[in-house]
Each structure stands twice: as structure tokens, then as C-alpha cells.
Amino acid sequence: MKKNLVKIISLVLVLTGVSACTPVKPWERGNLALPQMALDTDGQEAAFRQHTFYSKESASGGYGGHGGGCGCN
Amino acid sequence: MSLINRLSIAALALPGIVAEDAHAGRVDETFNTDFQYAHYEESNNRMGVDVFNLTAVAPIGENFTASLDLVRDTMSGASPVMNVRDDQGQVQQFLSSASITDERDALTASLGYAFDEVDISLGGGVSNENDYFSGHVNAGVSWALNKKLTTLNLTGSVAFDEITATGRPEINGRKTSQKYLLGLTQIINKDSLIQSNMTFAYHGGFLSDPYKRVYIEDTGNQVNDARPGNKFQWAWLTRYVHHFKAANKAALHADYRLYVDDWGVDAHTVELSWYQPIADGWQIVPRFRYYTQDKADFYQATFNSSNLGAVHSSDYRLAGFGSLGAGIKLTKSFLMSGFVKEVKLQTAFDYNDRKASYQIGGDSSGSFDDFSFYMVTASINAKF
Amino acid sequence: MQGKLRLVNHAFHAMGSPCHIQFYALSRLQAQEAKQSVKQCLEKLEQRYSRYRKDSFISVINNGSGLGAASKIDAEMAALLAYADQCFQESEGLFDVTSGILRKLWSLDKTEIPSEEQINECRQLIGWNKVEWTQNSVYLPQQGMQLDFGGIVKEYAADSVAQLLKSKGITSGIIELGGDIKVIGPRPSGQGWPVAIRNPLEKDQQSLQLTITHGAVASSGDYERFQEIDGVRYSHILNPKTGMPTTGLRAVSILSEHCVVAGSIATLAMLKGSKGFNWLQENELDFFCCLDSGEIHQQISGY
Amino acid sequence: MSYLYKKLVTVCLLLSLSFSVLALEVGKPAPEFSLPNIATKTASSLSDYRGQVIYLDFWASWCPPCRTSFPLLEALYEKHHTAGFKIVAINMDEEPEAMERFLKLYPASFDILRDPEGEWADKYSVEAMPTSFIIDKKGVIRHIHSGFSKSDIDEIEKKVIELLAESL
């Protein structure tokens, strides 16, 4: 049962993610481009924290991937 | 990736061909360097770690980006080896001697290439400790679609580890791990975005901890930690970021991660951080973390010969417990227009309390494993 | 202030076919220098990769086949081998740069179809997976094996010449080497360059008129080089797995960013024989093709 | 990943692929506009620049390539403005303060106009930040450039010189 539950949830999520967005024009990304909005500011600090938790707990994974930000160039 | 892209990548190696400017993507032109010192310390002077980390990311030409990461860890102090049940029937944790110090050096390098909407990257690295060597290679594709509002991420990595445990010559365990990530980052509106990633990890080989043992009560003997020869981990992380213009352009980061593995561990992680800009480049980031996991099927604090089984472990990391943590980060950035474009200073302090009683649905019987730890980081980043 | 932009037309012969370049130069000197560098570039490529020249780099490698000693190679040859390998994988073995020797059986003077034994004997010497190559050496293990970069080098030359002229400051121009076309950049007015693809049925009648501002066009198929044996028309594209000329498609033209990629896809489509037309559609390629039946199809969106 | 799961992901991706609106093309006349000029506080319009070669740039302070472009554009402007070359930089920042902080770090003597609503960015169907259009003396768009990296300035200068050489 767990496997299909996961699939349904992920489908719902992907769909909402795709359709829920009001189209943001390239020049309207000022707020999204702010450093505090970035998913990966202070990469070294995030890596150290995740590495520490990973070596003290069983769970790991999930972090990674690009996206967000100003979408320039 | 289309047939044309696959052939084009192969064609790009031909000296006479340079990627067509108009079509290849262009990389961020800033040269980025980071240096961080970090310290980790556990309660009742168990384990302490000092970490030095240097990272450099440089654009090469218009389409390539190279990155290099160097890490030096120095670990010292004791760590739990076994649990013993004393004559009052209480379980006591037995620590290794405090003298062990260990140094780990790691190097990771990667090269990225930007097409118009697709970025690919290839990388690899090695990590060396006196009893543990690890080498890994990784590859990643990031595809920006829907006018860069949606980003699909796909990464894969394979690692080969070799353990030659000090004092345990009969062990020389090899382990291979494969990790895959499928993720989607979607901009929801001008003020918020969501990222959802799933990771799948497959490990095979020597997965036990050569320094840990289990205590068999009825015979009083000790046997080595023995875990299954393979492990599958699945994690599903969702991160939501929202901008609050009224709060001086602050940003809330809310993360939730569901984790399941085939050793019987289910875990939940919640992390909330509030990025609060103050004035002229200062920013303060209070954050909160809660983690809970149930125990692995083959974990017990102590065993007896009837329930020992082929696989058995008393490693506190496989026990059932919860962890509550809080922290504060302070950053200050200087924007300049000369050769150096930005300098950013960062420092943070985190305190985490791990307790069996914090586990959701736990019976808090494992309080002997409880401990707390704090983390301190300080770093400087320069962009050219 | 430099002189006004002048259109330069230059026709010549290279790589065994008629060639023609058009470009806008800022000065007479720049035009002269550009023509000179194009000539040198093509001569160098011909000297390295022409099968007809006994002293060419490729002939040296082919003559060393089966003699036990690998030949040292440079970065460009290594990249070509890597590219040939990619084409071999993409085509599940159909695009094989060691299948050039089949041409001996189907040379233009032949009057009847080669026998079964002749074909099998020749096919023993074919097989890209037998070639032992590394970044700096290549060795053909069997005596008589031959590498043949037909279908890659002429198109690569077009890309190289375009890149060379761009580095000389020419930003507007077009190159045609024996039917393979590569655009350096749109005309100064921003308009594209007129390109015509010949109809394989009536040799002189043009059947497709395009104006392209960027990218490349490469064709494969029997516009001119075909063979008629007792009334049957045989293509000069040979399938390495059967040793026989391909059927199904009479000619294919592909549009893509790089000429070398367009060329190998065109050859690959021909090699796919009757499945070629669907293969072109499935891969959403920009193409113009003519089936054996004479039917003409085209699917051009990006240009 | 099971077959069903892969099918679902591909379906969603196709859903999200939007079709790019027919953008302005080279060879088309540049749409007329009129926007407030931050120096003169009055409105400037495209027709004010008729007979000159214009580099029209849509930019914002938060976009890194814009930081790269401003010093190079300033140098280009100083070099060619006497020959009838104009730079019109349309700022899209929501708040003027962000733009002013940027201009303190990257001073510009060419014209800066304000379009916080992005009304003209829509009409010029700007697809990426920054996007620039080179417009000839007759008001026709002759070059469209998206994104910006250091080496682009040579190609831009070559185009500007070429258009300056054309008669009206």
C-alpha cells in the first residue's frame, strides 16, 4: 500500500506545483532573486550541518538540485 | 536528452567546432570562493570535530563552470561501543577510550556545461581517513523549462568505500553505494517557490560498524556489530520558501522530509528557518529543527543468545529517538563594484538535544543513549 | 571608419566536390585573408583524412592494419573516433566507419551485383567494435581493415571553416562544401541566406527553397553518385550488416545546429532503410526526404 | 521507478511546456513607448531618438549579468555617443531605492527610464533578464540579445558601428 500512496502523493504534488503557479514574468523575479530566498545560500554551512545530522541519525538524502532565483542568463 | 543533443555533445570535442553562442546557455560569470571553519562538540566530552573547508567555483569560457572543494576534519574523543546491563538491571553505555584522534581529508571536483535550457555536470572525489577510503563519481542534469519557472533535476552518484578497521585486521570491508535524486523546483508566484525531491539510495557490501559490539546478557559474551549486507534508503524532501515584503523582505524556509529504509527505520524531519534582513547588509536567521525516527528491526540495547539472530546491532544511531534543535545564524555582506563584487561573513551556532523521549510513538526506554551536541560555523565568502 | 561591407563570392574545388562561400567583409584585406585561411584549413583536412591520398594520416593508419603496431593519434583524430563511436552506438552498429571497404564491391565500373562470398569475405574486415583505440592511439587488428570518415569529415570541414571565419571577424556569411551547408551568421540586414535542396527525381529542378539565419544543412542519398546495374538503381550508401546498398529512402536532408551532426543523422536515416522515414519523424528532426517511391516529405519547424 | 510513475512525470512535464508567444523579430519596427526619465523627471519616448542608433536595454538591479553589463555599456556610450549612438536603459525594479543603490555602485551617464509594472517589457516580449534590442536610425530592430556576458560587448560594438555607418 505504501508504494502507491507515495505515487499518488507525488503526482498530486507535481501537478499542483505545475499548475498552481500564476505565470511570473522574467522581470518580476526581483523577490525570488533575493539571497535570502535562495535554496542553497551558505552551501558549506548547509553541507556541514547535513553531514553532522547524517552521521548521528539514520535518515539522509533529499537535498540537492537547482531552481528558483533570478533565472538570468 | 534528444538525439541531436547527444550527438552535439560528442561533436563539441572536435577542435573545429565551438558551441554556437546563441544556442548554448551562458554561465554565471562570477568567480566564487568560500572558506569555513566549523566545530562540532558532543555532551559529556564524547566526540569533538574541527572542520576546515575551502570551496572555489570558476566560470571557464562562456559555457563551462569548474568547482573544487577541499575538506580537512580532525576528530577526537570517545564514542559509544556497547551497552551493558548492570546488576540493578539498568542499561549503561560503555564508551571507547578517549584517546582516538582521526584526520579525514576529502577533495571533490566537478565540471558543469550550460546548454540553453539544460545544465549538465560531471564530478568526482576522494575522501581519505587512516582506516577508511572512499571514492565517488557523480553526474547531474538540470533542465529549466516553462520559461525557467520549472526546473527538473536528475542526479546520480556511485561511491566505492574501503574500510580497514584499526585493531580489526580480519575486517577489510568494501562497500558500494548508488544514490539517485529526482527533483522538481517550481516557482509558484512572485513571492514563493517550492522544491520537492525524491532520493533513492542502494548500498551493498560491509555495512556494519567495526568498532561497535553487542552484549549478550545470559552468557556475558560480546559479539561484533553485524548488519545486513545491503540497504535501500528512500527519502522525500519538500522545501517551501516564501517572501514577506512587509517584514523588511524576510524569507521563511520550511522543510519537511519523510524517510524510509528497509532496515525498518521510518524518520520525519521538520526544519523552519526565518531569514531576517536587518539593515545595510546585516541578516539574522533563527531556526528550529525537529527529528524523530523509530528503531531498526535488528536493533536492541542488549541481546540474549535466544534473540541474537544473524544480524544484530546496539548502535545508538539505529535506536528509536527524537532530536530537538535550535540555532541562530548571523551574516553581513558588503557589495562593491571593483574587482571584488561582494564579501560575505557568516557565523552560526546550533544546539541539538537527542532524547529517546522526544521520539513520536516511542517508549523512551533508550534514555541511556541520550546526549546533546552543538555546532559552530564561521565563514567568509568572496565573489569576483 | 572602415569601408562599407562588401559581399564576397568565392567558388573553388575541395574535398572532391564543388564548393562555394559567400560572406560580408569589412575590407578587401579581410576578404583576402579569409579566402586564404579557408583554403589552408580545407587542404589540411584533406591531407589528413582523404582516402585517395596515399600519404594522408588516415591512409597511414589503414596501411598499418593487422601489422601489430598501433598508430599514434592527436586530439582531433581522437575526437573524430569518439564521435564515430557515438554514431555507432546511436545507430546500433549501422553507422560504422570501418565499412568503407564495401565500396570496392560496388565501385562505379562494376556491371553486376557482387556475389554472396565476395560480400561475406569483405564483411569479415568490418566491425567498429574490433578497432582498438584510446585517446592517443588507434589500431585496426585485421589486415585490410580500413577507417573511412566519409559522412563525417566533409561536414566537419564546413563547421570548421565557419568557426575559422568567425574567429577572423566575419559575422555574416554561408559556406557550401559539396551540398553540405553551414551558416556563419545572418546577412547584415538580419535576413537569412537562401538555400535550395535539389529534387532527386529531376536533377536540375529545385524542390525546397529555404532562408536560414543560423545552423547547417547536410544531405545524404543518391543525387549524383548512384549506380545502375541492368536497369536497377543502387544507392551508394551501403549497409554494413548486409553489405548491400540501402533501400527505402532515396535522399535525406537534415537541418541542425552543427553540420557534422546533420550529416551523420542524414546518413543514419538512409541506413535505416524502410524504417528511416518513421525514425526521422519519431526523433522530431527537421528534415526533407524523398522515398524510393518518389514521394517527398518534409518536417521543418525550427528554421 | 515503475512504469506508471514515469508516465505520470512525463505527462506533467508536457503540461508545463508553455508555447512562447511570437516574440519581436529582427527586421520589425520597434514598438513606440513613452516612459519617465529618472534624470529629467519628464517622459522620454522612442521617437525622441529617431535618426540615432539606440541600444534599448531592459534591466533590474537584482540581476547579476546587469552588473556585468553596465560598466561595459557606459564605456561603449562614451566612445560612440558623439557619432549618434544612444543607450536607453529601462529599469524594472519594483522599488526605486534598489535601482538607486545599484546606480551608486555602477554609475551610468546614459538615459535611465522606469517601467516598474513591466508594461513595455510585455510589449517587447522580454524573455530573459537582461534583454536588449539594437534599433537602427529608421527605428527598425536589427539585433536582439538576451542575457549578457563580458565577451558579448565586442559583437554589440561591431553591430553599433555597422548601423552608425548606414545612411538615414
Side-chain angles (χ1 to χ4, degrees):
Chain A
M1 218 328 262
K2 180 161 285 181
K3 265 262 179 248
N4 322 0
L5 179 67
V6 157
K7 298 248 163 54
I8 295 159
I9 297 173
S10 62
L11 163 69
V12 164
L13 185 112
V14 171
L15 271 179
T16 45
V18 164
S19 51
C21 65
T22 49
V24 175
K25 296 273 195 286
W27 58 86
E28 292 172 328
R29 295 181 76 144
N31 298 337
L32 296 163
L34 291 166
Q36 57 264 32
M37 289 290 285
L39 284 166
D40 50 13
T41 42
D42 306 330
Q44 287 185 326
E45 193 238 343
F48 169 67
R49 284 179 91 239
Q50 290 309 328
H51 182 74
T52 303
F53 292 132
Y54 169 60
S55 56
K56 293 298 151 191
E57 296 159 352
S58 278
S60 77
Y63 290 90
H66 306 286
C70 78
C72 307
N73 239 13
Chain B
M1 179 135 24
S2 70
L3 170 73
I4 287 197
N5 270 357
R6 290 197 302 272
L7 285 180
S8 301
I9 292 178
L12 287 182
L14 293 168
I17 291 187
V18 168
E20 200 41 48
D21 280 353
H23 280 271
R26 260 133 6 155
V27 290
D28 174 3
E29 287 201 299
T30 45
F31 183 95
N32 214 318
T33 59
D34 283 274
F35 177 72
Q36 173 173 281
Y37 163 71
H39 179 71
Y40 165 84
E41 181 97 20
E42 285 176 0
S43 56
N44 39 54
N45 54 53
R46 280 175 31 164
M47 169 76 76
V49 183
D50 286 302
V51 182
F52 294 94
N53 184 195
L54 180 68
T55 314
V57 178
I60 299 175
E62 290 226 341
N63 318 104
F64 283 96
T65 310
S67 76
L68 182 69
D69 187 86
L70 302 171
V71 176
R72 154 68 59 90
D73 293 358
T74 327
M75 286 158 271
S76 64
S79 68
V81 172
M82 190 174 65
N83 304 322
V84 179
R85 196 179 290 280
D86 62 22
D87 28 39
Q88 287 87 11
Q90 288 304 331
V91 178
Q92 299 298 340
Q93 201 174 50
F94 174 72
L95 297 177
S96 67
S97 63
S99 63
I100 45 161
T101 58
D102 193 358
E103 236 171 50
R104 181 177 77 94
D105 292 330
L107 176 142
T108 317
S110 78
L111 188 66
Y113 181 84
F115 281 91
D116 216 3
E117 272 109 30
V118 171
D119 288 2
I120 54 173
S121 75
L122 293 171
V126 285
S127 163
N128 195 15
E129 247 170 291
N130 49 30
D131 59 358
Y132 192 93
F133 174 81
S134 167
H136 74 275
V137 282
N138 53 57
V141 179
S142 162
W143 181 20
L145 20 96
N146 190 13
K147 293 209 185 89
K148 298 199 173 162
L149 294 175
T150 309
T151 310
L152 187 62
N153 291 296
L154 200 60
T155 65
S157 73
V158 181
F160 306 96
D161 304 352
E162 174 102 32
I163 305 151
T164 47
T166 42
R168 294 286 306 281
E170 82 285 5
I171 290 204
N172 96 39
R174 282 203 184 73
K175 176 175 86 152
T176 54
S177 308
Q178 294 172 45
K179 295 194 186 92
Y180 302 99
L181 176 139
L182 171 67
L184 182 88
T185 310
Q186 174 66 42
I187 294 206
I188 296 173
N189 54 41
K190 281 196 293 186
D191 293 310
S192 49
L193 63 106
I194 190 162
Q195 177 179 62
S196 193
N197 299 334
M198 261 191 206
T199 50
F200 308 86
Y202 307 85
H203 310 272
F206 181 79
L207 303 180
S208 309
D209 184 324
Y211 301 110
K212 295 215 173 348
R213 292 199 292 278
V214 297
Y215 176 70
I216 304 166
E217 291 182 18
D218 51 350
T219 61
N221 295 346
Q222 305 166 16
V223 286
N224 291 326
D225 176 274
R227 306 182 197 193
N230 47 54
K231 179 177 185 180
F232 167 67
Q233 296 175 301
W234 171 82
W236 178 19
L237 166 71
T238 301
R239 312 183 69 180
Y240 174 71
V241 185
H242 190 77
H243 169 249
F244 294 87
K245 185 171 177 189
N248 192 19
K249 304 176 91 61
L252 167 71
H253 289 241
D255 300 358
Y256 168 71
R257 176 176 64 185
L258 171 63
Y259 167 88
V260 172
D261 71 29
D262 64 1
W263 281 5
V265 176
D266 299 341
H268 303 272
T269 316
V270 173
E271 216 166 332
L272 300 172
S273 331
W274 178 267
Y275 286 71
Q276 181 60 64
I278 303 167
D280 48 55
W282 285 97
Q283 172 184 248
I284 188 161
V285 185
R287 54 194 173 198
F288 160 79
R289 181 176 187 270
Y290 172 68
Y291 173 84
T292 176
Q293 82 171 43
D294 64 0
K295 74 176 189 63
D297 299 338
F298 51 85
Y299 167 86
Q300 282 179 59
T302 57
F303 289 81
N304 51 54
S305 35
S306 61
N307 61 19
L308 185 62
V311 282
H312 39 259
S313 174
S314 302
D315 187 332
Y316 66 100
R317 289 169 293 195
L318 297 174
F321 65 88
S323 180
L324 264 173
I328 190 97
K329 172 158 80 168
L330 198 63
T331 63
K332 162 74 173 149
S333 74
F334 307 86
L335 289 179
M336 297 163 248
S337 65
F339 172 66
V340 181
K341 294 211 170 48
E342 183 186 353
V343 169
K344 180 175 167 190
L345 304 175
Q346 175 265 338
T347 180
F349 172 80
D350 276 276
Y351 177 80
N352 265 71
D353 191 15
R354 175 221 187 274
K355 273 200 170 54
S357 55
Y358 292 155
Q359 179 193 347
I360 296 180
D363 58 14
S364 62
S365 61
S367 56
F368 54 88
D369 270 339
D370 295 355
F371 70 100
S372 60
F373 58 87
Y374 70 83
M375 294 183 280
V376 174
T377 61
S379 71
I380 175 166
N381 165 277
K383 290 188 168 58
F384 304 96
Chain C
M1 293 289 284
Q2 283 106 326
K4 291 246 321 116
L5 278 172
R6 290 166 56 255
L7 177 61
V8 177
N9 270 304
H10 178 48
F12 55 97
H13 211 82
M15 303 221 150
S17 30
C19 305
H20 177 223
I21 49 175
Q22 280 184 303
F23 57 91
Y24 280 84
L26 283 168
S27 65
R28 196 179 307 282
L29 174 67
Q30 187 187 35
Q32 218 40 40
E33 218 190 53
K35 280 191 242 176
Q36 191 50 24
S37 52
V38 166
K39 194 163 167 301
Q40 277 156 11
C41 169
L42 292 177
E43 249 157 37
K44 178 169 135 319
L45 287 172
E46 214 162 336
Q47 205 294 320
R48 283 169 64 92
Y49 301 113
S50 158
R51 283 185 286 99
Y52 307 105
R53 291 196 182 190
K54 289 289 156 284
D55 58 355
S56 72
F57 192 2
I58 198 85
S59 301
V60 165
I61 294 173
N62 289 341
N63 301 340
S65 63
L67 302 182
S71 317
K72 262 192 77 45
I73 59 173
D74 59 7
E76 184 176 71
M77 179 61 90
L80 277 171
L81 293 174
Y83 185 72
D85 184 52
Q86 178 76 17
C87 294
F88 182 80
Q89 315 291 352
E90 291 290 346
S91 62
E92 292 113 20
L94 281 172
F95 193 110
D96 187 325
V97 289
T98 64
S99 62
I101 47 172
L102 280 170
R103 282 213 172 70
K104 284 209 298 300
L105 308 178
W106 293 88
S107 55
L108 286 174
D109 52 18
K110 283 283 182 304
T111 53
E112 49 337 281
I113 305 168
S115 66
E116 197 57 31
E117 302 76 29
Q118 279 174 314
I119 289 183
N120 286 340
E121 188 208 303
C122 193
R123 281 189 58 241
Q124 300 310 327
L125 298 173
I126 294 175
W128 168 252
N129 33 33
K130 299 180 200 158
V131 176
E132 295 149 20
W133 63 283
T134 66
Q135 275 307 331
N136 28 48
S137 73
V138 67
Y139 177 58
L140 307 175
Q142 275 163 279
Q143 247 270 328
M145 274 183 85
Q146 288 201 345
L147 284 181
D148 167 12
F149 285 128
I152 295 183
V153 169
K154 188 149 67 72
E155 293 82 354
Y156 168 53
D159 285 321
S160 309
V161 165
Q163 172 54 25
L164 176 68
L165 290 180
K166 222 182 227 177
S167 64
K168 293 256 181 260
I170 310 264
T171 57
S172 163
I174 187 165
I175 298 133
E176 194 239 333
L177 303 182
D180 296 331
I181 296 159
K182 169 71 180 171
V183 172
I184 303 170
R187 287 151 50 128
S189 65
Q191 257 59 35
W193 295 89
V195 163
I197 296 178
R198 268 200 310 279
N199 179 331
L201 302 180
E202 294 85 23
K203 229 156 81 63
D204 38 31
Q205 202 234 353
Q206 287 165 356
S207 68
L208 179 68
Q209 189 61 318
L210 277 174
T211 50
I212 49 176
T213 57
H214 61 276
V217 183
S219 310
S220 177
D222 50 13
Y223 290 115
E224 333 82 29
R225 284 187 289 183
F226 68 90
Q227 205 175 3
E228 216 163 290
I229 301 174
D230 34 37
V232 178
R233 184 188 177 77
Y234 289 99
S235 140
H236 75 285
I237 310 284
L238 304 168
N239 180 330
K241 296 190 173 165
T242 61
M244 297 293 289
T246 58
T247 57
L249 278 172
R250 170 163 297 190
V252 181
S253 297
I254 299 283
L255 287 93
S256 160
E257 194 42 52
H258 301 298
C259 198
V260 67
V261 171
S264 26
I265 291 179
T267 310
L268 192 44
M270 291 293 291
L271 288 164
K272 291 267 180 185
S274 52
K275 297 207 271 335
F277 179 43
N278 308 358
W279 179 78
L280 284 169
Q281 288 171 311
E282 263 156 40
N283 280 286
E284 289 149 14
L285 295 162
D286 292 326
F287 68 87
F288 163 84
C289 77
C290 169
L291 308 185
D292 275 355
S293 61
E295 251 175 73
I296 304 262
H297 296 278
Q298 74 179 58
Q299 176 185 294
I300 293 171
S301 57
Y303 291 78
Chain D
M1 279 199 295
S2 72
Y3 174 75
L4 163 73
Y5 187 67
K6 253 182 250 147
K7 207 88 192 90
L8 301 182
V9 172
T10 35
V11 160
C12 308
L13 292 188
L14 294 178
L15 257 171
S16 67
L17 285 181
S18 67
F19 303 101
S20 63
V21 94
L22 190 62
L24 271 179
E25 273 149 15
V26 165
K28 289 240 174 64
E32 178 54 46
F33 61 77
S34 155
L35 287 167
N37 181 321
I38 64 167
T40 65
K41 297 287 181 282
T42 60
S44 296
S45 52
L46 185 60
S47 44
D48 305 348
Y49 303 99
R50 183 51 52 98
Q52 294 173 319
V53 174
I54 307 161
Y55 182 90
L56 183 67
D57 185 33
F58 288 87
W59 68 283
S61 63
W62 42 265
C63 109
C66 303
R67 290 188 208 116
T68 314
S69 69
F70 259 59
L72 300 171
L73 292 177
E74 176 63 16
L76 187 71
Y77 178 66
E78 276 156 16
K79 192 171 163 192
H80 295 290
H81 76 278
T82 48
F85 169 58
K86 273 274 187 227
I87 294 183
V88 179
I90 300 185
N91 172 270
M92 326 275 292
D93 276 288
E94 235 175 80
E95 299 129 357
E97 299 78 21
M99 175 189 72
E100 274 133 22
R101 271 199 306 275
F102 179 93
L103 292 174
K104 275 205 200 65
L105 284 175
Y106 303 95
S109 52
F110 44 80
D111 294 357
I112 312 270
L113 311 184
R114 280 280 290 156
D115 178 17
E117 303 314 320
E119 184 200 349
W120 289 99
D122 234 345
K123 291 205 171 54
Y124 275 75
S125 45
V126 165
E127 293 282 311
M129 287 298 282
T131 298
S132 62
F133 302 81
I134 301 183
I135 304 168
D136 69 15
K137 295 176 181 175
K138 300 192 252 338
V140 173
I141 295 177
R142 300 290 290 277
H143 187 79
I144 301 179
H145 197 86
S146 71
F148 194 93
S149 31
K150 281 198 289 291
S151 55
D152 297 346
I153 195 71
D154 313 329
E155 184 193 342
I156 290 168
E157 177 165 33
K158 201 168 290 137
K159 194 68 186 173
V160 166
I161 294 168
E162 189 192 301
L163 295 182
L164 283 170
E166 282 180 359
S167 57
L168 188 54

